Amino acid sequence: MNTPVLHWEINTKEPARLLDFYRNLFGWKIQFMDQINYGLADTGSKKGIQGGIGRTHGEGPSFVTFYVEVDDPQQYLDKAVRLGATMVTPVTEIPNMVTFAQFRDLEGHIIGIIKQEAAPAKPRRKKTTGKKRRTRPTSKRRRR
C-alpha cells in the first residue's frame, strides 16, 4: 500500500488564539468543531494538503505533526513500537470520519497514522454515446 502524508496538525494549549492567527495571516477558512475542540483548516489551494488546529491533550507541550494514511492503524502502531517508537495515542475512532493513532519516533517527534472512512459509493450513471436517441412518433390511429 502507498502511504501518503494526508494531513498536518498544530496542537496547542490555546487553539482559539492560533486559529485566529493563521486565519488572519494566510486567509485560511477554518471550520471549528466544538464537540472535539478542533478546527479544520481549508487553505484555499488545490496544492499541498489540508490540516487542522486543536488542543493538546493533558499538560503536554504544543507540537506540529503530520498524518500518514495506512490501511490498518493498529498494525502500523505495533510495528512502530517494535522499531523503538513509543505510543502517544492508542488507535482511536472518530465515527464517520477517521481512525487514527500517534507515536513518538526515535527522536521524539509525534507522528500520526490515519485511516479514512470509505466515502459512500456514488450512484452509477448510464454511459451515453453523446448521440440523441431517436424516438418514433406515436400513432393516433384508432383500433376497430
Side-chain angles (χ1 to χ4, degrees), residues 118-122:
K122 291 183 180 178

Side-chain angles (χ1 to χ4, degrees), residues 41-118:
D42 177 355
T43 65
S45 177
K46 297 217 184 278
K47 289 182 178 180
I49 58 175
Q50 305 302 318
I53 300 171
R55 181 176 304 286
T56 55
H57 300 287
E59 293 300 314
S62 296
F63 64 95
V64 175
T65 192
F66 61 86
Y67 287 81
V68 177
E69 182 179 36
V70 298
D71 57 352
D72 184 342
Q74 187 65 62
Q75 177 185 349
Y76 279 86
L77 181 59
D78 293 345
K79 184 176 182 180
V81 169
R82 279 195 311 274
L83 293 170
T86 55
M87 181 184 63
V88 173
T89 305
V91 174
T92 304
E93 180 183 357
I94 300 176
N96 302 316
M97 289 182 72
V98 297
T99 300
F100 75 99
Q102 293 176 320
F103 61 88
R104 193 175 302 278
D105 72 10
L106 303 177
E107 296 288 325
H109 308 108
I110 296 176
I111 307 299
I113 47 181
I114 192 167
K115 178 180 181 182
Q116 295 190 92
E117 290 288 323

Side-chain angles (χ1 to χ4, degrees), residues 10-30:
I10 301 169
N11 292 282
T12 176
K13 291 176 173 122
E14 297 180 48
R17 187 169 159 238
L18 281 184
L19 290 167
D20 286 340
F21 174 80
Y22 286 106
R23 183 183 292 125
N24 291 322
L25 178 62
F26 297 123
W28 293 349
K29 293 180 179 133
I30 299 179

Side-chain angles (χ1 to χ4, degrees), residues 3-16:
T3 52
V5 173
L6 208 60
H7 184 78
W8 54 262
E9 194 169 76
I10 301 169
N11 292 282
T12 176
K13 291 176 173 122
E14 297 180 48

